[in-house]
Amino acid sequence: MNPELTRYARQIIFPPIGEEGQRRLLDSRVTIIGVGATGSILADRLARAGVGHLRLIDRDFVELNNLQRQLVYDEDDVTAVLPKAVAMARHLRRVNSTIAIEDIVADVSATNIAGFIADADVVLDGTDNFTTRYLINDACVKLGKPWVYTGVIASYGMSMTIRPGETACLRCIMGELPAPGTVPTCDTAGIIGPIVSLMGSIAVAEALKLLVGKGTLNSGMIHIDLWDDSFDKFDLGGPRPDCPTCGQHEYIFLNAEAGARTTALCGRDAVQVSVLGAPMLSLPALAERLRTAQVGAIQVNAYLLRAQIDGYEFTVFPDGRAIIKGTNDEAVAVTLYARYVGM
Ligand SMILES: [Zn+2]
């Protein structure tokens, strides 16, 4: 065996992959959107498997309550207030230094998603919200990219592999975006570690099959509840002609207008505020302004600015995005953003 393939020996012995399949993996590009709980499994497994180019995108930073379920991260990452994409890339470069790992600290939006997935062979969902998933679905259907949906909450999870034009898409099955407050979140329902590992592993297996071009893909919706010992798979049929996304090609999530956007964050008393189409901001300049205003403690590193203001905790990123902790009210968050960051 070629020495550069030695680290993958046990995977190459597996006949459906073999040396040819391994070379395909090494020539592959995968975009992982969100590297929290599910994304940890996706990124770690694919780095070890030798996917040649991994693009890790996440808008959040590592917190202590992540460690219960988000593998790969550790207490040092929490202390250093590292963005998840940066911390994940650092860990995985020590696991496999022979592949390219790209870390991107950003909120995936209608304005930037095409650039993140245009060169990807497979796109994987590590997000925790349907707004982003519907955007991924629009973008992947439009660009003809296969993607794997993974949803995990409490003790149950769902998995669906979407191949545009061949299978139903997410919107075929789920219809319109669920109304805010109507879907359980890890804030309201909690989450246990093993279901995350299981559902993440299913998505990884689907990705390997897609990349190698062998094996039987999941053509339905897998639903597993580990607390109820329930394992189900539902047939979904093919693409629906009346689906707005894959039938009518109306990409309303991809065509979102520029402007302020707020998202209540799963599992936290916090709101994210971002401004589409805004230029990058200078963290040192913002820190200087806030120090002048004598708002409270300010911490700044190369990736983010953290400030305590009026009993709220602001975390501001260079792309202008802010996570405002201490409120679930999106209007309050926008007001605070406008007052202290500016928009
Ligand atoms: Zn569809």
Side-chain angles (χ1 to χ4, degrees):
M1 186 179 293
N2 187 316
E4 74 192 40
L5 297 182
T6 305
R7 66 164 65 222
Y8 310 114
R10 298 300 179 274
Q11 185 169 280
I12 289 171
I13 292 170
F14 178 62
I17 293 182
E19 195 164 322
E20 186 197 332
Q22 187 61 54
R23 293 196 186 283
R24 283 193 181 210
L25 293 178
L26 288 165
D27 285 340
S28 297
R29 306 175 75 95
V30 173
T31 293
I32 301 175
I33 301 180
V35 288
T38 303
S40 295
I41 305 293
L42 304 174
D44 179 72
R45 288 277 169 217
L46 291 180
R48 290 174 196 275
V51 168
H53 188 115
L54 281 180
R55 179 176 292 137
L56 314 176
I57 309 164
D58 197 286
R59 65 189 184 188
D60 214 345
F61 50 91
V62 186
E63 291 188 287
L64 188 60
N65 71 13
N66 298 155
L67 303 186
Q68 164 249 352
R69 64 196 179 284
Q70 303 190 11
L71 300 184
V72 186
Y73 300 124
D74 60 31
E75 293 178 359
D76 289 342
D77 300 325
V78 177
T79 305
V81 202
L82 284 182
K84 289 181 182 177
V86 173
M88 180 65 69
R90 282 189 188 179
H91 286 290
L92 294 185
R93 285 181 190 123
R94 291 201 289 269
V95 170
N96 191 346
S97 61
T98 69
I99 60 169
I101 302 175
E102 190 183 351
D103 50 346
I104 298 174
V105 184
D107 187 29
V108 172
S109 69
T111 54
N112 63 19
I113 189 167
F116 293 147
I117 71 171
D119 59 355
D121 298 299
V122 171
V123 177
L124 297 178
D125 164 25
T127 70
D128 61 1
N129 68 88
F130 278 103
T131 309
T132 308
R133 290 186 182 116
Y134 275 49
L135 179 62
I136 295 170
N137 189 61
D138 266 15
C140 285
V141 169
K142 186 177 183 186
L143 296 175
K145 303 290 180 182
W147 75 282
V148 184
Y149 154 68
T150 305
V152 188
I153 200 80
S155 59
Y156 64 92
M158 288 169 285
S159 181
M160 182 178 168
T161 300
I162 293 140
R163 285 170 290 144
E166 295 177 55
T167 67
C169 81
L170 191 69
R171 205 150 174 228
C172 286
I173 303 307
M174 302 206 173
E176 300 305 311
L177 256 188
T182 59
V183 289
T185 69
C186 55
D187 197 20
T188 57
I191 187 164
I192 58 170
I195 189 65
V196 177
S197 300
L198 181 54
M199 301 314 296
S201 294
I202 289 172
V204 169
E206 291 294 292
L208 292 177
K209 286 183 272 183
L210 284 164
L211 295 171
V212 169
K214 291 181 182 170
T216 306
L217 290 160
N218 167 27
S219 59
M221 176 75 81
I222 293 171
H223 186 286
I224 296 173
D225 190 328
L226 286 180
W227 215 256
D228 286 347
D229 189 34
S230 125
F231 294 76
D232 292 297
K233 184 165 166 183
F234 304 99
D235 183 21
L236 300 178
R240 281 179 38 184
D242 61 342
C243 169
T245 298
C246 72
Q248 309 294 319
H249 303 286
E250 296 163 4
Y251 305 110
I252 62 166
F253 297 92
L254 201 50
N255 297 335
E257 293 169 10
R261 176 171 292 188
T262 57
T263 317
L265 297 183
C266 180
R268 329 230 300 259
D269 182 29
V271 176
Q272 170 177 270
V273 182
S274 51
V275 186
L276 298 184
M280 303 283 276
L281 64 79
S282 159
L283 294 179
L286 177 60
E288 187 55 34
R289 284 210 307 277
L290 292 174
R291 283 194 185 103
T292 304
Q294 301 186 349
V295 293
I298 296 169
Q299 193 181 357
V300 64
N301 63 26
Y303 311 105
L304 56 82
L305 176 148
R306 166 79 51 82
Q308 313 296 330
I309 304 175
D310 285 353
Y312 299 95
E313 181 185 271
F314 283 59
T315 306
V316 186
F317 298 85
D319 61 2
R321 195 165 45 84
I323 291 170
I324 300 173
K325 200 168 182 176
T327 182
N328 283 315
D329 186 328
E330 300 187 16
V332 168
V334 170
T335 303
L336 289 165
Y337 184 100
R339 192 175 299 163
Y340 293 108
V341 182
M343 60 193 291

